[in-house]
Amino acid sequence: MTEQQQEEKRYDPNDTTLKFVTRQDDITGDDDPATRRAEMSCGHAVTPQSLTGWCRSLLDQGQHKFLCPALKNGTLQKCNAEWPYVEVRRLALLTQEEQSHFEETMAVLAAAEYCEHKTCPGCGTFVERADITNLCVLCTICTAEKGRTYQFCWQCIREWKGPGPRSDRCDNPNCTNPDIEKLAKCRDIILPAANNLKCPSMRACPTCGNLVEHDTTGCKNIICNRCSVEFCFVCLKVTKECLKTSSHFIACSDGVAPRQTSIPSWHRN
């Protein structure tokens, strides 16, 4: 779909299945009276364009769940209601091309969430890691084809060198975790809604290890786009623990957690 075609998306005024509203778009803030807006199940208003753009941006960020970005009335907290895909498809007026892109991307992202797999450097096939604490991974296809045990490093994606199992690195030069590098080198940010607290702009989710960034709007707590657990971006406790001695908008009792030097493992039940 071209940009011009995207601009032509309009709700049918005779569609009685939609609830039309006259207030501003809760995603973009647009209040053009000539633009027809509809209400989502969470109560916030959208246009086909704003809804399509927001949900596409979530997919581009690796998130397959569609969460409302609007602020709750009278607060700085995001709504974060999860919109079912069938609702998004209908109110975004997705074209057949857009539906195919959305559904294919959602399927890939959902699979990645529940299954850790990477491409073997030897044969190019996907290999699943059974032990998330061991970087030394066996490829059965390469082992059969080469007539010898073939293992590769989950971290640097090269054939394994040195003794194993190991959880830190293999003996290949420059075998480092790029996510740890990002955590070490990311910039600092200020959270205006939380008494101007200063902290790193990127964190590894304390539940699953997924790297997330704070957009500096709203409170200090965010929801991980992989495991959907809410945690405090400042002290790195899950929100329910942080709120026992703090609130969404004030400094944490334990202060600002230092930059992380390891990635938490996701121990799924």
Side-chain angles (χ1 to χ4, degrees), residues 159-177:
E159 185 170 1
W160 184 266
K161 285 188 178 180
R166 287 181 65 175
S167 61
D168 55 345
R169 57 164 296 164
C170 71
D171 284 349
N172 277 306
N174 300 317
C175 178
T176 57
N177 188 324

Side-chain angles (χ1 to χ4, degrees), residues 135-146:
L135 292 175
C136 182
V137 181
L138 173 72
C139 176
T140 55
I141 293 178
C142 285
T143 295
E145 289 181 346
K146 299 177 184 297

Side-chain angles (χ1 to χ4, degrees), residues 133-236:
T133 65
N134 182 16
L135 292 175
C136 182
V137 181
L138 173 72
C139 176
T140 55
I141 293 178
C142 285
T143 295
E145 289 181 346
K146 299 177 184 297
R148 62 177 177 84
T149 299
Y150 182 89
Q151 298 169 314
F152 69 93
C153 177
W154 195 260
Q155 183 160 271
C156 68
I157 316 298
R158 288 176 284 180
E159 185 170 1
W160 184 266
K161 285 188 178 180
R166 287 181 65 175
S167 61
D168 55 345
R169 57 164 296 164
C170 71
D171 284 349
N172 277 306
N174 300 317
C175 178
T176 57
N177 188 324
D179 286 347
I180 292 177
E181 292 286 308
K182 291 176 183 177
L183 292 171
K185 297 178 180 178
C186 69
R187 63 189 177 90
D188 286 327
I189 56 171
I190 301 295
L191 303 180
N195 283 342
N196 291 316
L197 285 169
K198 181 180 180 181
C199 66
S201 63
M202 184 176 291
R203 295 292 205 179
C205 170
T207 297
C208 71
N210 181 47
L211 294 198
V212 292
E213 294 185 83
H214 200 296
D215 62 7
T216 72
T217 65
C219 72
K220 64 187 183 182
N221 300 85
I222 68 169
I223 297 176
C224 175
N225 59 17
R226 180 163 76 164
C227 67
S228 298
V229 172
E230 183 176 342
F231 70 95
C232 175
F233 208 78
V234 177
C235 70
L236 295 180

